[in-house]
Amino acid sequence: MDYVIETKDLTKRFGNFTAVDNISFAVGRGEIFGFLGANGAGKTTAMRMLCGLSRPTSGQGFVAGYDIFRQQEKIKRNIGYMSQKFSLYEDLQVWENMRLFGGIYGVKDSVIFSKIDETLEKLGLSSERNTLVKALPLGWKQKLAFSVAIFHEPQIVFLDEPTGGVDPVTRRQFWELIYEAASRGITIFVTTHYMDEAEYCHRVSIMVDGRIEALDTPHNLRQQFQATTMDEVFHRLARKAQRQGE
Amino acid sequence: MKQLYAFVQKEFLHIFRDVRTILLIIGIPVAQILIIGFAVSTEVKNIKTAIYDPSNDVSTRQIIDKLAVSEYFNIVEYLSNPDQIEDRFQRGDIQFAMVFGDRFHENLYHNGNASVQLLADATDPNQGTVAANYAAAIISDYAQTMMSDLNIPFQIMTQVQMLYNPSMRSSYDFVPGLMGLIFILICAMMTSIAIVREKETGTMEVLLASPVKPIYIVLAKMAPYFLISWFILIVILLMSVFLLHVPITGNLLWLNVFSLIYIVLSLALGLLISTIVNTQVAAMLASGMGLMMPFMILSGMMFPIESMPTFLKIVSCIIPARWYISGVRKVMIEGAGVEHILPELLILTAMASFIILVSLKNFKKRLE
């Protein structure tokens, strides 16, 4: 199989504290990979290492075919990132945000402009092209932020709790966008606290105290833990945690 | 390069979208100059004056008459005792006092040498000087008339004493001080807030996860404030020349170069603050209390460095504004050549390089 993320014994220590403890996993191209764990389990640290924002202490890791130790710059070119906090510029217009991020990722001007129209049409936001982002409702902003994160057609997009504070209907629409992107071959690496969203993922990993305690399809995980929902699976694993959440 | 361009464009949009802030940063220096300008250009009239005249002879009366008819002086009291002078000044009854020596007329005619003391309240230094100058002119005018009448060389010893503000810090001095402060305000405060804002909103993380070079993020943040500061520099200079009539006697090019170094230094300070704090409020406090206050108090802008205790004198040496203000004063007001501000120039350049290095290193470290 064609893997776009591969890690082996990836570890990050801050002093005596091991935030991420020897994690090994692989994510295939076009896969929607759910990265679950309670607060403080080490999800964000692991994700930051994969994005080239933080240097691992030991282990190996390849993202989009590049080494996370030495080729962070190349990795950054080939991924998209949507942070936990809403991450567009509120005082810029919708299209200005898109142009900015297009420019940052080196998309050609001619491509940028046709892509802006195309994306806005898809989102049904064509009429909001010149609206300041702060005037948009939260759900639209999140969808827009996702579209901006994949504007440069990255191989992988990292989503850090993308649907926090969004109503169920909008979350549903958001996941439709995710499926659409995955169908185009973009790998989705997503962290979430909503267990119904975990069900939408192709495969799910659950981190407890810096280690990956379970990794499989939602269906297999439910069977393995004899649970009817992912929520139950998660609780069973999370109960073992020694660490307190942040 | 294209990345940098996209970024600089974005930063300008941020600033121009925020009309209130831009009005504030351009408005503050303009307003301050205007206020000072008014204070300076107000003509001095009706100065409340007291006379102490122990001689009470023909010469002193003639001088007093001349003084009384001029529109500048308003004689409010004839004192009987020189000890009253201090008291009248302190009660605010008078702003100016003319004290004649004993046997003025006699001394003038027989020795060709008489003395008069002019005392001015220099808490308003401008008014103090003007009053003293007017009075001295009236006295020398009287002496001239006498001389031409009698054809004998006379000399009236006019002794001027500025009370309460002996170093005569005039409003001219305020312009360099204002410049030293305003650039810290715009560059350090605004840059640190602008960078920290991105940390707060979470956009910084997205930028760092993108292939854009961190140095571009920093440069793009600084570019607009650099240009705005330069613009303000020009506005301040124009206003001080045409409104305050502070002549720029020195080399304009060097004044600009010198100021730009200081502006870069202030920008680097802003970057440094942004690497230390995480919220906009903290950035505001750090630049307000941490920079503005010591800069204002220790730079020689408010209190003359010469009269500080040794410890504070030493501390003032690490305040960049001290060197900047002193340099600007030399170039702008005293018309000194670049060779005279070489120490200031070198110290500021060294400080700027040091701060840039530290803050860039800190900025990179924080990314980890």
Side-chain angles (χ1 to χ4, degrees):
Chain A
M1 184 160 179
D2 180 15
Y3 291 119
V4 286
I5 301 175
E6 271 186 284
T7 72
K8 192 162 181 294
D9 300 329
L10 198 63
T11 300
K12 176 81 183 183
R13 280 191 209 95
F14 298 104
N16 291 327
F17 177 70
T18 308
V20 175
D21 191 359
N22 287 290
I23 59 170
S24 307
F25 66 96
V27 180
R29 187 175 300 279
E31 191 173 9
I32 300 175
F33 189 82
F35 201 59
L36 272 50
N39 285 337
K43 285 177 312 201
T44 306
T45 312
M47 191 147 139
R48 286 175 62 86
M49 285 194 284
L50 296 176
C51 294
L53 285 174
S54 169
R55 247 184 122 72
T57 312
S58 63
Q60 281 183 335
F62 290 91
V63 172
Y66 298 107
D67 188 343
I68 61 173
F69 279 90
R70 289 178 287 111
Q71 295 172 299
Q72 285 132 328
E73 290 312 307
K74 292 212 168 100
I75 290 175
K76 286 178 179 177
R77 278 186 193 286
N78 287 285
I79 61 168
Y81 178 75
M82 184 176 160
S83 85
Q84 205 166 348
K85 292 180 191 164
F86 172 69
S87 51
L88 294 179
Y89 291 98
E90 301 245 324
D91 56 345
L92 296 187
Q93 294 168 1
V94 169
W95 77 276
E96 286 168 342
N97 266 292
M98 300 177 114
R99 185 191 54 182
L100 171 68
F101 284 99
I104 288 174
Y105 283 93
V107 182
K108 286 204 193 81
D109 275 346
S110 51
V111 181
I112 287 180
F113 285 100
S114 59
K115 191 93 197 275
I116 287 176
D117 293 335
E118 189 189 308
T119 310
L120 288 178
E121 192 133 333
K122 199 161 69 190
L123 293 174
L125 292 178
S126 294
S127 55
E128 308 293 337
R129 192 177 188 276
N130 298 328
T131 311
L132 291 183
V133 168
K134 66 175 155 212
L136 296 178
L138 182 66
W140 292 12
K141 286 184 194 171
Q142 302 288 69
K143 285 191 274 181
L144 191 64
F146 178 71
S147 305
V148 168
I150 59 166
F151 192 82
H152 57 292
E153 296 290 327
Q155 293 189 42
I156 309 155
V157 62
F158 290 88
L159 309 173
D160 194 1
E161 292 175 26
T163 51
V166 176
D167 65 80
V169 179
T170 316
R171 263 166 58 200
R172 180 85 221 175
Q173 292 170 342
F174 192 87
W175 274 87
E176 278 165 19
L177 285 177
I178 290 181
Y179 271 98
E180 194 269 339
S183 71
R184 279 190 286 140
I186 298 177
T187 307
I188 314 285
F189 187 98
V190 56
T191 72
T192 180
H193 280 304
Y194 298 107
M195 287 307 134
D196 58 327
E197 289 187 349
E199 309 270 2
Y200 300 150
C201 298
H202 294 151
R203 279 196 307 152
V204 167
S205 80
I206 299 176
M207 268 184 100
V208 179
D209 289 351
R211 283 184 294 273
I212 293 184
E213 289 291 331
L215 197 171
D216 213 326
T217 60
H219 178 76
N220 290 350
L221 283 177
R222 280 197 307 269
Q223 285 197 329
Q224 186 188 335
F225 290 87
Q226 291 157 3
T228 48
T229 61
M230 276 306 291
D231 205 33
E232 272 184 64
V233 175
F234 184 78
H235 277 101
R236 245 171 242 179
L237 281 166
R239 212 174 290 144
K240 300 197 302 185
Q242 304 291 313
R243 271 187 215 162
Q244 290 298 307
E246 290 143 319
Chain B
M1 234 28 231
K2 193 166 163 274
Q3 276 183 342
L4 185 61
Y5 174 73
F7 248 79
V8 173
Q9 206 174 20
K10 150 189 172 287
E11 295 302 336
F12 271 104
L13 281 176
H14 283 320
I15 291 175
F16 289 125
R17 290 271 154 84
D18 193 357
V19 181
R20 246 182 309 173
T21 309
I22 189 121
L23 282 181
L24 211 63
I25 45 185
I26 295 183
I28 287 174
V30 169
Q32 284 184 318
I33 292 261
L34 279 177
I35 291 164
I36 299 159
F38 263 105
V40 170
S41 60
T42 309
E43 217 179 318
V44 181
K45 274 183 188 167
N46 296 323
I47 303 159
K48 287 182 278 180
T49 307
I51 308 278
Y52 175 64
D53 181 11
S55 315
N56 197 10
D57 54 36
V58 74
S59 290
T60 59
R61 259 175 275 142
Q62 277 184 12
I63 292 174
I64 293 168
D65 282 347
K66 272 175 176 281
L67 205 68
V69 296
S70 86
E71 58 182 341
Y72 304 116
F73 296 95
N74 179 16
I75 298 173
V76 290
E77 194 174 1
Y78 291 90
L79 303 170
S80 51
N81 187 332
D83 294 341
Q84 294 170 310
I85 296 173
E86 181 81 26
D87 173 62
R88 298 295 186 273
F89 268 117
Q90 282 176 355
R91 292 210 319 234
D93 289 353
I94 58 169
Q95 296 152 310
F96 187 73
M98 188 179 262
V99 180
F100 290 97
D102 281 340
R103 291 179 300 165
F104 188 85
H105 185 74
E106 219 178 298
N107 280 336
L108 191 61
Y109 274 78
H110 295 133
N111 309 340
N113 194 334
S115 72
V116 56
Q117 191 183 28
L118 306 177
L119 298 160
D121 177 355
T123 39
D124 179 345
N126 215 36
Q127 186 180 318
T129 338
V130 173
N133 287 341
Y134 284 160
I138 287 172
I139 293 166
S140 76
D141 183 50
Y142 172 74
Q144 292 275 322
T145 334
M146 298 292 292
M147 271 211 296
S148 52
D149 283 359
L150 300 169
N151 216 0
I152 327 171
F154 287 117
Q155 207 185 351
I156 299 178
M157 300 283 291
T158 318
Q159 189 199 0
V160 178
Q161 200 171 358
M162 292 295 164
L163 302 177
Y164 313 118
N165 187 0
S167 62
M168 283 305 298
R169 307 171 48 68
S170 77
S171 301
Y172 279 14
D173 274 5
F174 203 87
V175 174
L178 177 69
M179 286 160 73
L181 209 60
I182 227 68
F183 294 133
I184 284 290
L185 178 75
I186 297 169
C187 300
M189 193 183 257
M190 302 306 284
T191 324
S192 62
I193 290 175
I195 297 178
V196 173
R197 185 187 296 143
E198 297 227 8
K199 280 202 216 171
E200 255 184 354
T201 54
T203 42
M204 187 55 94
E205 231 189 15
V206 177
L207 293 184
L208 295 176
S210 81
V212 64
K213 292 194 181 75
I215 185 76
Y216 282 5
I217 301 179
V218 171
L219 282 179
K221 277 275 175 239
M222 291 180 166
Y225 294 112
F226 181 81
L227 289 181
I228 290 175
S229 301
W230 201 353
F231 173 74
I232 288 173
L233 172 69
I234 293 165
V235 171
I236 292 180
L237 291 182
L238 285 177
M239 285 181 84
S240 49
V241 170
F242 292 107
L243 216 72
L244 305 192
H245 309 292
V246 178
I248 300 176
T249 41
N251 186 321
L252 201 56
L253 179 75
W254 278 107
L255 187 58
N256 269 279
V257 171
F258 190 58
S259 299
L260 291 181
I261 292 174
Y262 183 69
I263 289 171
V264 169
L265 182 148
S266 311
L267 288 169
L269 274 176
L271 176 63
L272 188 63
I273 290 176
S274 76
T275 62
I276 298 169
V277 300
N278 282 318
T279 62
Q280 291 183 61
V281 178
M284 188 117 70
L285 279 176
S287 44
M289 301 301 280
L291 288 182
M292 297 274 273
M293 284 293 277
F295 271 50
M296 229 148 91
I297 294 167
L298 293 174
S299 65
M301 175 196 180
M302 288 179 106
F303 311 108
I305 292 169
E306 305 82 53
S307 54
M308 284 179 192
T310 321
F311 172 69
L312 288 183
K313 257 187 212 170
I314 294 166
V315 175
S316 80
C317 290
I318 59 162
I319 305 280
R322 174 202 166 147
W323 304 105
Y324 177 66
I325 292 173
S326 129
V328 170
R329 235 173 236 166
K330 284 187 191 169
V331 176
M332 192 166 160
I333 297 179
E334 295 165 22
V338 65
E339 64 279 3
H340 290 106
I341 56 158
L342 221 50
E344 281 92 349
L345 204 63
L346 289 177
I347 289 170
L348 276 189
T349 314
M351 281 179 165
S353 325
F354 177 73
I355 297 170
I356 290 172
L357 276 179
V358 171
S359 50
L360 277 182
K361 217 177 143 200
N362 226 348
F363 186 75
K364 284 219 174 108
K365 211 169 81 188
R366 290 290 296 225
L367 304 189
E368 282 296 304

